[in-house]
Amino acid sequence: MARRYRDAAAKLQQSVQKHLNVMKEVSSSEDDEPFDQSVLDGVFQSYCRGGGDKQLLNRTKNLLEEAISGRSVTCLICIGSIKRVNAIWTCDHCYSYFHLSCIQKWSNDSISLRSEENHGPIAVFLPKKIEWCCPKCRQSYSKEEIPRKYRCFCGKTDDPPFHPWLIPHTCGEVCGKRLSVGDNCMHKCLLLCHPGPCPPCPQTVNGVCYCGKECKKVRCSAAKWSCMQQCKKTLPCKSHSCENICHIGDCLPCNYTSLQSCQCGAEKIKRPCNNLKWQCTKQCNKPFACGYHKCEKICHTGNCGACPNSGIRSCPCGANQRFIQCPDAIETCVGTCGKQHNDCEHNCPAKCHKGPCPPCQVLIEKKCHCSTHTRSLPCSKEFRCETKCRGIRLCGKHGCGRKCCNGNCPPCEKICDKSLQCGRHKCTTVCHHGPCYPCPLESKVTCRCKETYVTVPCGREKHTKPPKCNHPCKIKYKCGHMDENKHTCHFGDCPPCKAICNKLYKNCSHNCTAVCHEYVLVVFKQVEKPATPWEVQPPKSKIVAINCPPCERPVEVTCYGEHEIDTQPCHIAGRRPCGRECGRPLACTNHSCELLCHLYQYDADYPNVPYTCKPCNRECSVLRPKKCTHKCAKRGCHPGPCPPCDTLERVSCYCGVTDLYLSCRELSTATDEMLSCKQQCSKNLNCGHRCRNICHSGPCGQNQTCTKKTKVHCPCGNLKKEFPCISVQKGDITVKCDESCNAKKLALKQEKEKEEKRLKELEEERNRKELEEYEWKLSGKKKKYKEKKVVINKDDRNLIQKYCVPILSVVIVILAGIYYIFNT
């Protein structure tokens, strides 16, 4: 017992240690930690009021929020997560984090590779400044700026200790950095040591707008602003002023043109004011003090100076010198030039001459650039052979291949195309030596529905947890119930369907009210007890469709005689006797059955239940017709009406004009013809005309048509025709307008268009006069305003030309009426 207890205790301690190690790793991992957003809002409350640079403030706020939230920060060099206790280095430009060891190795490798680029077989180069750059933003740093120590963000403390209540990699003291590099702001950051840039200065100072017209108290970070007025500063042309809205920096060049003279003052042309200095193409031609020569310079300012042809002058080779005064000129001598060429150590063998010396023609043994071949060539000619260089370029992979290379092979121009550390992309830079830059791309880690994502450095997708998504899940249930099972996006299997089955039962017309059971995970366990341990089978799960449970919906069921209604579950519902009398009418239709509750007709489901009533044996008790005092001729109770009576009765005809005398028997079997007075009906139809049928039953107008004439007009009211009344009531008859109506409409339309055209011309003439008067006033010139003559269109037509259209339309109407009368 003691041994078993010790084993259990040891196993428990092992589990506890394992759990503690896991918790320690989780506490230092990149899992998100909750934080209160109101804390940041309270810190930046004073910065958000009163204006300022919102963009810089949001950048500082986002970086601080990222540091507080504990989200994963990845080192772009090793593609590993930066934990809170790791030593880091922060870039001053992009504020990205890197492991201190990673950035030290990166900077040293970059400097060593830059140093190797300048060492070749023949090193002819200018000294270059060797620098290394940030892996993310490519900000250049010198060799002396290689990080050697792990410092906090504000740079006051070396190796800051980890504190659970402080932001990682901070010292917990006030930052104290200058909020602005310029001289206009001398304030310091009052936040605690923090990552990222300092927020814009929130102090209030007296600021001036860009143009200097308006002064007011503003934030120090936005000490200058635009007053939205015109600048009005004098432009360099000193003739115009800036017309732009108050702006930062220098004013834009003047857009106007002015009459400007060249530097020598010979020409004046209109030129843009933004280029005041210009030269014409003429020579100066001003005479020097000697009086014999003129200045040959192109248009210039200032004095021309002394004559270049007077004074102590020498021949071109410099052998002879003497004082010359204009108009004398020194000539070449008979000696040799002897000047040394600029490109070699040989002297010029030509005679004394003016101008540059000819190319050197001395034959020397010259080597090509690659020092492979030798040939006798003139000194001024360059020697290049056709031998291709077999050296390797700085990348260490590709050959040079350049003809007659001097050993300083050019950099490789091919693409590196190496696989980067992320394993998904390849290096797109020029082929180089050493490791490639980290992959600059970012990848998305998405939820299951791909709607929510977070961006991480490329290659970090497998080590980053997917974000939490609040969008609805897009996985469709096999049973088809989507609206009833709405839930947020998730990984793994969806929860069981909670919708109602709502399937129709076969035996009844009800729907299943149970939870959906079409795809249910059922666990099957072993029923038989195993005889041996190896016969034990684990439980198996399988998705199956379960039949609907029995219908429990309450159903209203009547008794045999349909006297009362009872509610019973649908699957056990059945009819029962209620114990009351039947009460069903007997064959005589005058009395009811007095037996106990039974069926009305035979039912196969209830074969033992009676379904017939007892016959009636009473006398007839049916009421006689009105005004009939005779009793029924039949003695016993009988079904149906009693025999008719023969007593005479006075009855009015259908139209109410004549009285008829009929017996009670005849009255009960009288037809419409017997009750008619055989005269014309005195009633009127719905159209207002009298009914033409003989006295009849029912409403008038049945089985007859009214054929009296009725007048119908056309839509415009110009034409009028007569038609039968029945056709007019049905709406089949319509009188359409003919050519006379169209001619009348056309004449009216032409008159209307002519009037509109006349009004439009008058309006255009009035607008033209107003425009000419406005232009005359705007020009400011005192010119006599000559009013243009207005031509008035006079109508010189005679009466026939004016009224030809109405006369023609009346004639057409008359002809159409005559044609219609003769044809009908």
Side-chain angles (χ1 to χ4, degrees):
M1 185 68 181
R3 181 179 179 183
R4 185 179 298 176
Y5 175 79
R6 288 196 301 271
D7 293 343
K11 191 173 182 180
L12 180 62
Q13 288 293 331
Q14 185 178 1
S15 300
V16 170
Q17 291 295 330
K18 185 176 180 181
H19 177 69
L20 291 176
N21 293 333
V22 171
M23 292 300 293
K24 183 177 180 181
E25 292 178 0
V26 170
S27 64
S28 61
S29 64
E30 66 239 10
D31 293 344
D32 295 344
E33 294 182 0
F35 73 97
D36 192 359
Q37 184 67 29
S38 62
V39 176
L40 281 180
D41 296 338
V43 172
F44 290 100
Q45 184 176 6
S46 60
Y47 291 91
C48 298
R49 298 176 182 173
D53 194 343
K54 298 290 186 180
Q55 185 175 2
L56 291 177
L57 182 62
N58 291 333
R59 185 180 181 186
T60 305
K61 189 175 180 180
N62 293 335
L63 289 174
L64 194 58
E65 179 182 346
E66 183 179 357
I68 294 176
S69 64
R71 288 195 290 267
S72 60
V73 179
T74 304
C75 176
L76 294 179
I77 299 176
C78 63
I79 314 299
S81 60
I82 300 176
K83 297 183 179 180
R84 302 177 181 180
V85 296
N86 294 141
I88 66 166
W89 173 82
T90 307
C91 177
D92 297 335
H93 184 260
C94 64
Y95 305 100
S96 299
Y97 303 166
F98 302 95
H99 289 115
L100 182 62
S101 57
C102 294
I103 198 65
Q104 287 175 350
K105 184 176 183 301
W106 173 269
S107 58
N108 291 326
D109 291 346
S110 300
I111 289 176
S112 62
L113 290 176
R114 295 288 178 87
S115 301
E116 291 178 1
E117 291 179 0
N118 296 327
H119 296 286
I122 299 176
V124 180
F125 62 94
L126 296 174
K128 296 181 180 180
K129 186 177 179 181
I130 299 176
E131 296 178 341
W132 60 279
C133 60
C134 173
K136 184 175 182 180
C137 65
R138 302 297 191 263
Q139 175 70 16
S140 297
Y141 293 93
S142 63
K143 187 176 180 180
E144 291 76 16
E145 293 178 333
I146 296 176
R148 305 297 179 188
K149 295 182 180 180
Y150 166 42
R151 293 187 176 183
C152 62
F153 293 114
C154 64
K156 295 179 181 178
T157 306
D158 295 342
D159 298 327
F162 171 71
H163 195 282
W165 296 104
L166 294 178
I167 298 176
H169 317 296
T170 59
C171 61
E173 298 180 1
V174 178
C175 178
K177 291 183 180 179
R178 283 276 302 277
L179 293 178
S180 178
V181 181
D183 298 333
N184 57 341
C185 178
M186 302 298 294
H187 307 109
K188 295 182 179 180
C189 181
L190 300 179
L191 296 178
L192 297 181
C193 183
H194 60 87
C198 295
C201 184
Q203 297 292 337
T204 303
V205 296
N206 293 325
V208 185
C209 65
Y210 296 127
C211 64
K213 295 179 181 178
E214 187 176 343
C215 299
K216 64 180 180 180
K217 287 188 176 182
V218 292
R219 295 283 189 182
C220 184
S221 59
K224 290 192 175 183
W225 70 96
S226 176
C227 62
M228 304 309 292
Q229 299 179 11
Q230 284 190 350
C231 181
K232 296 297 182 180
K233 289 182 180 179
T234 304
L235 296 176
C237 64
K238 298 181 180 180
S239 300
H240 306 98
S241 59
C242 180
E243 297 179 354
N244 295 327
I245 302 300
C246 178
H247 57 85
I248 187 173
D250 297 334
C251 297
L252 296 176
C254 184
N255 296 326
Y256 293 97
T257 58
S258 60
L259 191 63
Q260 301 174 12
S261 59
C262 63
Q263 294 184 6
C264 66
E267 294 183 5
K268 285 187 177 181
I269 58 174
K270 274 193 174 183
R271 300 185 74 257
C273 290
N274 55 9
N275 188 7
L276 298 176
K277 293 183 180 181
W278 64 285
Q279 291 179 327
C280 61
T281 57
K282 296 180 180 180
Q283 289 185 352
C284 180
N285 286 332
K286 291 182 181 179
F288 289 110
C290 63
Y292 295 97
H293 300 96
K294 293 181 179 181
C295 180
E296 296 180 356
K297 296 180 182 179
I298 303 298
C299 177
H300 65 88
T301 57
N303 297 326
C304 298
C307 180
N309 297 320
S310 299
I312 298 175
R313 308 295 295 172
S314 62
C315 64
C317 66
N320 299 321
Q321 290 184 355
R322 61 190 177 90
F323 181 81
I324 295 177
Q325 190 173 2
C326 295
D328 296 337
I330 192 168
E331 300 294 337
T332 58
C333 65
V334 294
T336 304
C337 177
K339 292 181 181 179
Q340 187 177 355
H341 289 284
N342 296 329
D343 299 333
C344 62
E345 67 278 4
H346 304 115
N347 296 328
C348 178
K351 290 183 179 181
C352 180
H353 58 84
K354 295 180 180 180
C357 297
C360 183
Q361 299 296 327
V362 179
L363 294 177
I364 59 173
E365 293 290 330
K366 300 191 72 173
K367 286 187 177 182
C368 61
H369 285 265
C370 62
S371 303
T372 305
H373 302 280
T374 305
R375 184 179 299 176
S376 295
L377 290 174
C379 181
S380 60
K381 289 189 177 181
E382 186 179 2
F383 179 33
R384 286 183 177 272
C385 66
E386 297 294 328
T387 304
K388 293 184 179 180
C389 179
R390 297 182 181 179
I392 303 298
R393 300 197 181 191
L394 295 177
C395 62
K397 299 178 183 179
H398 306 102
C400 177
R402 188 172 62 168
K403 291 183 180 180
C404 195
C405 180
N406 60 357
N408 190 12
C409 301
C412 187
E413 298 176 355
K414 296 184 179 180
I415 302 300
C416 177
D417 206 30
K418 282 184 182 179
S419 296
L420 299 177
Q421 292 180 356
C422 63
R424 298 173 59 187
H425 305 99
K426 293 185 178 181
C427 182
T428 57
T429 59
V430 178
C431 187
H432 56 85
H433 185 61
C436 301
Y437 282 100
C439 183
L441 303 177
E442 292 183 345
S443 299
K444 292 182 180 179
V445 178
T446 62
C447 61
R448 190 170 187 176
C449 66
K450 311 297 182 183
E451 293 291 340
T452 306
Y453 64 89
V454 292
T455 56
V456 296
C458 186
R460 193 65 181 172
E461 302 88 351
K462 296 182 180 179
H463 306 284
T464 305
K465 288 186 178 181
K468 294 180 181 179
C469 179
N470 296 324
H471 293 277
C473 180
K474 295 183 178 180
I475 301 175
K476 295 183 179 180
Y477 280 80
K478 294 182 179 180
C479 57
H481 299 123
M482 289 297 297
D483 297 335
E484 298 86 351
N485 296 282
K486 291 182 179 179
H487 55 278
T488 56
C489 178
H490 61 90
F491 286 92
D493 298 333
C494 292
C497 181
K498 298 179 181 180
I500 304 301
C501 178
N502 206 24
K503 284 186 178 179
L504 187 67
Y505 285 100
K506 295 181 180 179
N507 300 330
C508 61
S509 59
H510 302 134
N511 296 329
C512 179
T513 58
V515 179
C516 181
H517 46 79
E518 186 173 355
Y519 293 91
V520 182
L521 182 64
V522 180
V523 179
F524 296 92
K525 295 183 179 180
Q526 188 177 3
V527 179
E528 298 179 357
K529 187 175 181 180
T532 56
W534 54 84
E535 293 182 357
V536 176
Q537 296 181 0
K540 298 180 181 179
S541 59
K542 186 178 180 181
I543 297 176
V544 297
I546 301 176
N547 296 329
C548 295
C551 182
E552 296 291 341
R553 186 170 181 178
V555 180
E556 294 181 352
V557 181
T558 59
C559 61
Y560 291 144
E562 298 180 358
H563 301 117
E564 63 181 21
I565 299 174
D566 186 18
T567 56
Q568 301 177 10
C570 182
H571 67 284
I572 58 172
R575 301 179 69 178
R576 298 181 180 88
C578 62
R580 301 179 184 179
E581 290 184 357
C582 176
R584 184 182 179 186
L586 297 176
C588 63
T589 66
N590 297 322
H591 304 94
S592 58
C593 178
E594 297 179 354
L595 297 177
L596 294 178
C597 181
H598 63 86
L599 293 174
Y600 288 166
Q601 59 184 359
Y602 177 75
D603 191 350
D605 296 335
Y606 308 97
N608 299 326
V609 179
Y611 57 91
T612 56
C613 297
K614 183 179 180 180
C616 181
N617 52 5
R618 298 180 184 181
E619 293 183 357
C620 180
S621 59
V622 178
L623 296 176
R624 301 297 293 169
K626 292 181 180 181
K627 299 180 182 182
C628 182
T629 58
H630 301 89
K631 294 183 179 180
C632 180
K634 296 181 180 180
R635 295 182 180 179
C637 186
H638 61 86
C642 296
C645 183
D646 294 334
T647 305
L648 295 176
E649 295 287 344
R650 187 175 67 177
V651 183
S652 299
C653 66
Y654 290 119
C655 60
V657 177
T658 307
D659 291 337
L660 302 176
Y661 291 91
L662 296 174
S663 64
C664 187
R665 176 180 57 80
E666 292 177 348
L667 185 62
S668 60
T669 58
T671 60
D672 293 342
E673 186 177 359
M674 294 173 62
L675 297 176
S676 176
C677 62
K678 305 299 188 293
Q679 297 178 7
Q680 185 179 358
C681 182
S682 61
K683 297 179 182 179
N684 293 333
L685 300 175
N686 294 332
C687 61
H689 302 119
R690 185 178 176 181
C691 180
R692 296 187 300 174
N693 293 339
I694 304 299
C695 179
H696 60 85
S697 63
C700 298
Q702 294 182 354
N703 299 326
Q704 68 171 322
T705 57
C706 184
T707 58
K708 290 194 174 184
K709 297 293 183 178
T710 304
K711 295 180 180 180
V712 180
H713 296 268
C714 67
C716 66
N718 187 29
L719 300 179
K720 179 175 67 176
K721 294 182 180 181
E722 292 184 351
F723 295 95
C725 181
I726 185 65
S727 300
V728 175
Q729 290 180 1
K730 290 181 179 179
D732 298 337
I733 300 301
T734 56
V735 178
K736 297 182 180 179
C737 296
D738 57 0
E739 294 180 356
S740 62
C741 298
N742 294 333
K744 186 176 181 181
K745 291 180 182 178
L746 182 60
L748 294 174
K749 184 177 180 181
Q750 288 178 354
E751 289 293 333
K752 186 177 180 180
E753 290 179 354
K754 188 180 295 182
E755 182 64 19
E756 290 178 354
K757 184 176 180 182
R758 186 180 67 81
L759 294 175
K760 185 176 181 182
E761 289 176 354
L762 291 175
E763 182 67 22
E764 290 177 354
E765 183 64 20
R766 191 184 304 111
N767 293 337
R768 185 183 60 79
K769 285 183 179 181
E770 291 178 358
L771 180 62
E772 288 178 355
E773 185 178 0
Y774 176 78
E775 290 177 352
W776 176 72
K777 291 180 179 180
L778 187 64
S779 62
K781 297 179 182 180
K782 296 182 179 180
K783 294 182 179 179
K784 292 184 179 180
Y785 177 75
K786 295 182 180 180
E787 184 179 0
K788 294 185 178 181
K789 294 182 179 180
V790 179
V791 179
I792 300 174
N793 295 327
K794 295 182 179 180
D795 193 358
D796 297 333
R797 297 178 298 175
N798 54 20
L799 293 175
I800 297 175
Q801 292 176 347
K802 285 184 179 179
Y803 304 104
C804 64
V805 174
I807 294 172
L808 183 61
S809 61
V810 172
V811 172
I812 293 173
V813 170
I814 295 171
L815 294 176
I818 295 171
Y819 176 77
Y820 175 76
I821 292 170
F822 282 104
N823 287 341
T824 55

